[in-house]
Each structure stands twice: as structure tokens, then as C-alpha cells.
Amino acid sequence: MIPRDHPRYHSLMQREKLARGYEQGVVVLEGLIAHGRGEAFDYLLGETTIEPARRAIRAAAASLLLASSPVISVNGNTAALCAKELVRLAKEAGAKLEVNLFYRSTERARRIAELLRRAGAEEVLGVEPEAEIPSLSSQRRLVARQGIYSADVVLLAIEDGDRTEALVDMGKRVIAIDLNPLSRTARRASITIVDEVTRALPLLTRELARLRGLGRPELKRRASFDNSANLREVLSYIARRLEEFRPEDF
Ligand code: ATP
């Protein structure tokens, strides 16, 4: 039992969720390593949603509202960490949820779909995928025809760069949530939200509700986004933070 007043309560709870996800066959060991990489970058950000991430969230919300068939791609880590938030976002965005796994087995995909259903999802795609993303050899190429395959906007988190690249090459607008501003995913996505996934999702859902009702021209204006410039701002933020670091402030 993690005491609520522990200074790293949130971070420890997340680790516990992932460890439980591993025991339930939802998370794979490699997913735990990927989380560790994320945690390291979150330290550099100060474990907070920084302004460039908020800007990316605003553009992402406008893009989701403009989309005709948006899809949220779910993997083991995101399902274990924030199934409810994923379902809430999908409802607010009118988006489909699709399971997509690097270390894929039908059993694991089924477990993740079940977790999402228990969190309130009505439909979950990707358990029996019938289409393939061209130019991708990993298991992540397997997708639902009515889901990721035909989506115009795909939101993904904790993803590897190959599939992000392949989705962008298919002409899709890719919104990525990734704590590492240097990753291939971060650099290749159309909009990268450099933030922790459980912090970013509720903010994105709230922004969608706030922007609903705006006309398409205004949404288009808000969806326009310079991802490289934004990533540069994230890196400057981190660099400044390190420059100004004083051990006694912690
Ligand atoms: P790429 O192929 O894009 O360069 P990678 O090889 O780092 O990325 P993975 O090993 O799949 O890809 O790592 C997943 C990414 O997810 C990492 O960049 C990590 O920083 C990020 N990440 C891990 N946990 C979280 C989290 N909770 N929220 C947001 N991002 C996370």
C-alpha cells in the first residue's frame, strides 16, 4: 500500500498500475521499460504540463473536431494507465477505440478490449484486424479496416516511431502523446503533445468540450500547427530548466 502523502505518490501509483497490468497479461515487460524512459523525461519537464504541450493540446482538439473518422490507438501501457480517460476522450471526440500492439497476441488484444469495455467503451476495434498498414513489418501493421486503416486522424501514445512514420506516409494526421521530444514518434507526428499521457488526456477532453460549437474555418485556424517549432520550444524549456537547476530548491 502506497501512503497518500508519499512525495512520489502519483508516480508510484502508476508503476503499481503497470505492474498489475503485467500480472493481468495487458502490459508486456518491454512496456515497463518504455515507461521508465518516459519517467526520465518527465523528471526533466518537472512532472507538469508545460506551455508548449498546452498549445499542442489545443491544436489536437481542433484537429479531432475537424476529423471525419478519428481513431484512438490503444496499447497495453495506455490501457493499464488510463482506460477511463481514453474512453472519455473517445466519447467527447466521437472517435473509435482500436487496440494496436507491437507484441501482439489475440489473447492480449482481447484482454485490453475487455479492460476498455469495463471502463465504459461500447465498441473496441483491433481484436481481429483484417487490414494492414503498408510498409510496416511489425505486428503493429495489423489494423481494422473501419478503424486505423481508413481513419483521417489517429491519436496515439507511448508509440514507436516506425508506425507513426507509416501512418503519416498514409496521409493521416497523427497526434502523438510522448514524453520524449527527441523520439522518432515525436519528430514524425503531425502534432506532438510532450506530456505524460494521464495528464494530457483529461486536458484534451476538456479542450474538445470547450471548442465544440466553433465553425470549421475557426477550427482550421486553431488546428494549424508547426510541430518542429513546438518541439524546439520543449527542448529550450528543458535546457533552461537544467541551466537554472539549484539542488537546494528541491
Ligand atoms: P521512437 O521509436 O519513436 O524513437 P522509442 O523507441 O522510445 O521511440 P518506445 O520504446 O516504444 O519507443 O517508447 C515509447 C515512448 O513513450 C518513449 O519515448 C517514452 O518516452 C514514452 N512514454 C513512456 N511512458 C509514457 C507516458 N506515461 N506518457 C507519455 N509518454 C510516455
Side-chain angles (χ1 to χ4, degrees):
M1 189 69 185
I2 299 161
R4 271 203 161 270
D5 59 353
H6 191 288
R8 306 209 54 73
Y9 176 77
H10 184 69
S11 163
L12 293 175
M13 282 303 292
Q14 286 208 329
R15 288 182 181 185
E16 197 163 291
K17 278 187 190 170
L18 289 167
R20 209 175 306 135
Y22 174 72
E23 284 158 13
Q24 292 166 350
V26 165
V27 173
V28 288
L29 275 175
E30 291 80 356
L32 304 181
I33 299 170
H35 184 76
R37 178 176 286 170
E39 279 188 339
F41 278 99
D42 210 14
Y43 239 92
L44 297 176
L45 293 172
E47 296 174 315
T48 182
T49 305
I50 65 173
E51 189 46 38
R54 290 183 190 276
R55 264 203 299 280
I57 286 170
R58 290 197 284 273
S63 301
L64 284 167
L65 288 172
L66 285 166
S68 50
S69 47
V71 174
I72 299 172
S73 180
V74 182
N75 62 21
N77 280 37
T78 51
L81 286 173
C82 48
K84 280 209 174 96
E85 289 83 350
L86 286 164
V87 173
R88 248 180 241 136
L89 174 66
K91 288 195 172 147
E92 191 66 49
K96 292 175 181 160
L97 288 161
E98 178 167 340
V99 180
N100 183 273
L101 305 172
F102 189 86
Y103 300 97
R104 186 190 166 80
S105 72
T106 306
E107 184 49 34
R108 189 168 162 237
R110 219 174 259 139
R111 286 195 181 140
I112 293 171
E114 186 47 39
L115 189 59
L116 291 170
R117 274 195 212 95
R118 278 204 305 273
E122 277 148 34
E123 189 189 20
V124 181
L125 303 173
V127 175
E128 282 161 17
E130 65 293 325
E132 291 193 9
I133 300 173
S135 75
L136 198 64
S137 50
S138 76
Q139 299 271 56
R140 282 198 143 158
R141 71 183 187 282
L142 304 170
V143 289
R145 191 167 297 284
Q146 299 307 320
I148 289 172
Y149 189 81
S150 48
D152 54 349
V153 175
V154 178
L155 180 134
L156 42 85
I158 319 183
E159 174 81 32
D160 73 294
D162 283 15
R163 192 170 72 113
T164 306
E165 199 150 35
L167 292 171
V168 169
D169 289 347
M170 284 174 85
K172 300 178 194 303
R173 193 162 176 79
V174 175
I175 301 166
I177 303 174
D178 190 337
L179 278 162
N180 177 3
L182 301 168
S183 76
R184 282 173 311 147
T185 291
R187 286 180 284 131
R188 287 295 280 133
S190 323
I191 299 176
T192 304
I193 302 167
V194 182
D195 198 13
E196 205 284 314
V197 67
T198 66
R199 283 200 305 269
L201 287 181
L203 295 175
L204 184 52
T205 305
R206 206 177 313 148
E207 186 64 15
L208 273 161
R210 209 178 67 84
L211 296 189
R212 190 172 297 288
L214 291 182
R216 287 185 76 81
E218 181 57 24
L219 286 174
K220 277 189 185 153
R221 199 183 63 74
R222 292 180 187 232
S224 118
F225 191 72
D226 184 340
N227 200 45
S228 305
N230 201 258
L231 288 177
R232 280 197 299 276
E233 279 193 43
V234 172
L235 290 171
S236 305
Y237 180 93
I238 292 174
R240 255 195 332 271
R241 212 168 162 267
L242 292 176
E243 289 275 348
E244 290 161 9
F245 175 75
R246 299 276 174 280
E248 57 277 17
D249 295 341
F250 279 73

